[in-house]
Amino acid sequence: MELLIKNGVVYDPINKIDGEVMDIAIKDNKIVDMVDESKAYMIDASNKLVMAGGVDVHTHIAGPKMNTGRILRPEDHYGDVAPKTQIKRSGGGYSTPSSFVMGYRYAEMGYTTAIEPANSPIKMLHCHHEFRDIPILDKSCFVLFGNNWFVWEYLMENKLDECAAYVAWVLNATKGYAIKIVDPGAVEAWKWGDVEFLDILWGRPQTMDQQVPRFGITSRDIIRGLCKVNKLLNLPHPIHVHPNGLGTPGNYQTTIETMDCVKDLADGDKPIIHMTHVQFNGYGGSDWVNFRSGAYEIMKYVNANKHVSMDLGQVIFTNTTTMTGDGPFEYRLYRLTKNKWTNADVEVESGAGIVPMHYKRNNFVHAVMWAIGLELALFAKDPWRVFITTDHPNGGPFTNYPKLLSWLMSKEARQRIINKIPKRAKSKTNLESMDREYSFYEIATTTRAATAKILGLKDKGHLGVGADADISIYDMDPKEINPSKDYKQLRKAFSKAMFTIKEGEIVVKDGETVKSIDGRVYWVKPNVPSDLMNAMESELAGKFDDYYTVSMQNFKIPERYIMRSTPIAAHYG
């Protein structure tokens, strides 16, 4: 199929195109130099905003946590029902949407790629099964390694090569994409009921050097070890880190210390650590009474150090569902809110928890949290290293992204909210004094170009020749609209894409899904020397016999189970 988008106002930061009126030609599933205009299907994009398809670097869309969240919260689905159409399957759910609805809603906002950021290795088959039911989007999944017994044993014995071989084996066996680290050390301690250890982390979150009971390894050792493994395997994405002390006043110090603990491992300007949902780890003060924003201190460090990238985890004032591999945090949240709670202990690998949450504008703590996320983005000097997320659904459902974009592009839109939050919350943040407003070019950077780049997806996030033909067209004229004043119009346009094109196919028109296609699943296939891999596998077989409830062979996910399997090679050394 040939397609021609005529006269669109294009924002393509990877190719340094900043609002130029131009044509985009598509043949089959790629962007090309030109097509035969007499034969191509033509879209008149005159006075319309054209960008690459959105790429979400961190959104919980699949796997056991999301599925358990759906079961835990039937009320989340009562008021949010998506009926069947000729194209779409029925479904629903506001913060825990059903699988098919997840894909439709992302595509209708102009997004074409979304990354599930945390699954235990043994649960990856569940994740891939759900991926098969999420239409349109390209997807991948990060694998949890930060509380894995076997990783810790290798690191304790300083067997870095063997640890790299093990990580490579797991990524290959489970068809995962990157190394995810969640609350390193603390989840395992929680599973064993090591209250003293957890009290130290929760009470004084700057202590990354406390040894995890029974293992003699520290959070610092785990992060540094897996960062070295990531470099040895040349994985496309840096270690993706949810640091210790999430949700604890004073944890901004832990965030800075976590970033700094791998600084000496960096070479060049390429980020080697990605800090995720930093809003939840950007708290100043020492308790909930003197709670304040720690965004300034964090961004002072991030702006000065190129080895770090991060995403926001912006809070939205709404009813949502929190879910994370950080089981101990969810227990603390349950104790604070007295809400429903579920918890999981995942063999020798990890844990998890889920608690419903309602962020309220008149709540002092929630209001400061809301401001911290925006401050992080507005303090950022380099949008190539700071990405927009709500950590769906933890800060709020991804369907609120248009609202978040309007807050970043309009001080007036922010001020309307600031006027309604508690006065004490205003005094604990810098947000009211911040005049910065994002441009369309910066929005295209932080939601598409930069996220594709940090994921190592070279054919995504841009509109150059050879790129995947993933494109979004919005019904607004960037040359005429004033985002600062017309933020309601901007929000409406970003909520429903005029067109979303996925691999050269029109999948959304006028904000409605008109075609449902299968997306790809990306995973990493590291190439490790056979003698090293064979020795590691021989040792691993015994560990499976000793500790796992499944056999080593049954742990592996055959490639035929993967929808449109797209492996990416990574080379050891």
Side-chain angles (χ1 to χ4, degrees):
M1 179 181 178
E2 293 187 358
L3 195 150
L4 184 62
I5 301 169
K6 288 284 289 184
N7 298 321
V9 184
V10 175
Y11 290 83
D12 180 7
I14 286 180
N15 293 298
K16 303 188 188 313
I17 296 171
D18 186 4
E20 292 181 29
V21 176
M22 56 190 296
D23 300 344
I24 305 290
I26 297 165
K27 184 173 183 179
D28 299 327
N29 60 349
K30 291 287 184 181
I31 293 174
V32 295
D33 261 336
M34 61 179 69
V35 292
D36 184 342
E37 290 195 28
S38 65
K39 297 179 180 176
Y41 181 89
M42 195 171 301
I43 294 175
D44 181 4
S46 302
N47 305 319
K48 308 299 180 189
L49 171 65
V50 179
M51 296 177 172
V55 179
D56 195 340
V57 73
H58 187 109
T59 173
H60 297 272
I61 57 173
K65 288 197 302 297
M66 174 52 71
N67 216 31
T68 304
R70 294 175 184 128
I71 296 167
L72 183 71
R73 299 206 64 201
E75 71 276 12
D76 190 61
H77 290 239
Y78 295 154
D80 191 318
V81 177
K84 180 180 183 297
T85 71
Q86 287 188 328
I87 304 299
K88 298 193 286 189
R89 301 251 313 238
S90 62
Y94 174 62
S95 64
T96 57
S98 49
S99 301
F100 289 94
V101 168
M102 197 92 69
Y104 304 141
R105 288 181 177 171
Y106 258 116
E108 288 168 3
M109 291 198 313
Y111 276 73
T112 51
T113 304
I115 309 300
E116 160 57 47
N119 254 269
S120 303
I122 198 171
K123 302 291 186 181
M124 284 290 284
L125 181 58
H126 180 144
C127 185
H128 286 297
H129 280 321
E130 273 202 73
F131 277 177
R132 297 177 73 89
D133 278 353
I134 298 177
I136 302 172
L137 299 178
D138 288 340
K139 302 163 281 280
S140 69
C141 182
F142 300 162
V143 183
L144 291 163
F145 286 103
N147 286 275
N148 184 303
W149 287 15
F150 307 152
V151 166
W152 290 3
E153 287 174 356
Y154 285 126
L155 295 181
M156 286 165 55
E157 296 169 10
N158 202 26
K159 293 181 175 179
L160 205 60
D161 291 324
E162 290 81 353
C163 188
Y166 170 68
V167 169
W169 183 88
V170 172
L171 289 174
N172 191 22
T174 64
K175 310 299 182 276
Y177 193 80
I179 294 173
K180 178 67 182 291
I181 302 170
V182 171
D183 204 358
V187 177
E188 188 59 29
W190 155 252
K191 289 159 61 176
W192 284 85
D194 290 316
V195 176
E196 184 180 349
F197 175 79
L198 293 168
D199 280 347
I200 289 170
L201 285 184
W202 292 341
R204 293 185 287 119
Q206 67 273 28
T207 54
M208 286 179 60
D209 295 315
Q210 181 74 14
Q211 285 197 344
V212 181
R214 285 174 299 281
F215 284 93
I217 195 167
T218 67
S219 302
R220 185 186 303 274
D221 295 333
I222 297 164
I223 294 168
R224 284 183 60 81
L226 285 171
C227 188
K228 292 174 184 175
V229 164
N230 206 78
K231 293 184 69 177
L232 265 177
L233 294 175
N234 287 302
L235 298 180
H237 184 58
I239 53 171
H240 197 97
V241 179
H242 157 149
N244 297 122
L246 184 137
T248 307
N251 63 10
Y252 82 89
Q253 299 171 64
T254 312
T255 302
I256 293 172
E257 190 174 1
T258 301
M259 295 185 285
D260 202 55
C261 85
V262 297
K263 183 177 179 178
D264 63 307
L265 303 179
D267 44 16
D269 291 341
K270 186 178 179 182
I272 59 168
I273 183 169
H274 178 85
M275 302 294 288
T276 192
H277 45 63
V278 174
Q279 176 277 132
F280 291 106
N281 281 80
Y283 302 163
S286 57
D287 56 40
W288 296 115
V289 175
N290 61 20
F291 180 61
R292 66 168 179 84
S293 170
Y296 173 78
E297 290 90 342
I298 288 174
M299 293 315 299
K300 184 178 178 183
Y301 185 92
V302 171
N303 287 333
N305 291 279
K306 294 185 176 181
H307 71 283
V308 181
S309 64
M310 57 173 274
D311 64 87
L312 300 185
Q314 174 66 37
V315 156
I316 309 293
F317 295 121
T318 190
N319 196 337
T320 192
T321 309
T322 66
M323 55 181 66
T324 171
D326 193 342
F329 164 73
E330 292 289 16
Y331 175 67
R332 294 183 68 211
L333 190 60
Y334 153 71
R335 295 283 299 272
L336 279 170
T337 64
K338 310 299 183 190
N339 217 327
K340 293 187 284 188
W341 166 58
T342 187
N343 178 64
D345 173 347
V346 188
E347 306 213 3
V348 297
E349 297 177 346
S350 61
I354 302 170
V355 175
M357 188 74 195
H358 192 169
Y359 298 110
K360 298 177 180 175
R361 200 163 49 198
N362 61 0
N363 180 295
F364 162 67
V365 171
H366 297 172
V368 174
M369 292 168 71
W370 171 80
I372 290 171
L374 294 175
E375 282 186 334
L376 292 167
L378 295 170
F379 276 130
K381 292 182 178 178
D382 182 3
W384 289 92
R385 293 189 291 117
V386 179
F387 317 131
I388 289 170
T389 67
T390 59
D391 182 20
H392 166 82
N394 288 297
F398 65 83
T399 45
N400 288 281
Y401 280 177
K403 193 179 290 183
L404 171 52
L405 297 182
S406 72
W407 291 332
L408 293 177
M409 298 185 79
S410 168
K411 182 179 180 182
E412 186 175 321
R414 296 195 295 270
Q415 190 62 46
R416 286 190 72 243
I417 306 298
I418 291 171
N419 291 341
K420 297 174 182 175
I421 64 176
K423 288 183 180 177
R424 191 159 71 95
K426 294 180 199 175
S427 70
K428 299 296 184 180
T429 79
N430 298 291
L431 187 60
E432 193 164 22
S433 64
M434 301 179 81
D435 295 327
R436 182 179 176 188
E437 294 175 330
Y438 270 49
S439 66
F440 283 109
Y441 191 80
E442 288 173 314
I443 292 297
T445 302
T446 189
T447 60
R448 286 140 166 92
T451 44
K453 185 177 178 183
I454 200 68
L455 289 165
L457 298 174
K458 295 178 181 175
D459 292 343
K460 296 198 175 296
H462 70 100
L463 301 172
V465 171
D468 289 348
D470 297 351
I471 302 168
S472 45
I473 304 173
Y474 297 102
D475 188 13
M476 60 180 153
D477 184 353
K479 303 295 186 187
E480 295 295 327
I481 192 172
N482 179 357
S484 182
K485 299 295 181 186
D486 304 327
Y487 54 88
K488 291 182 181 177
Q489 185 182 341
L490 179 138
R491 190 179 298 170
K492 182 180 177 183
F494 276 130
S495 297
K496 291 287 185 182
M498 185 178 174
F499 286 95
T500 302
I501 297 160
K502 177 71 173 65
E503 295 182 71
E505 303 264 6
I506 297 173
V507 294
V508 170
K509 187 176 181 182
D510 297 328
E512 290 296 324
T513 301
V514 295
K515 187 169 188 176
S516 183
I517 62 176
D518 296 328
R520 296 192 191 99
V521 173
Y522 291 94
W523 57 281
V524 169
K525 192 172 187 177
N527 183 8
V528 174
S530 56
D531 55 341
L532 177 60
M533 182 59 79
N534 291 339
M536 188 285 302
E537 280 190 299
S538 175
E539 188 177 34
L540 186 60
K543 293 181 177 180
F544 263 87
D545 291 341
D546 289 343
Y547 297 114
Y548 265 115
T549 58
V550 298
S551 72
M552 190 169 167
Q553 287 305 312
N554 287 339
F555 187 89
K556 298 175 183 176
I557 302 173
E559 193 170 355
R560 68 178 184 277
Y561 286 19
I562 310 299
M563 177 74 78
R564 296 191 63 196
S565 173
T566 308
I568 294 177
H571 298 282
Y572 176 86

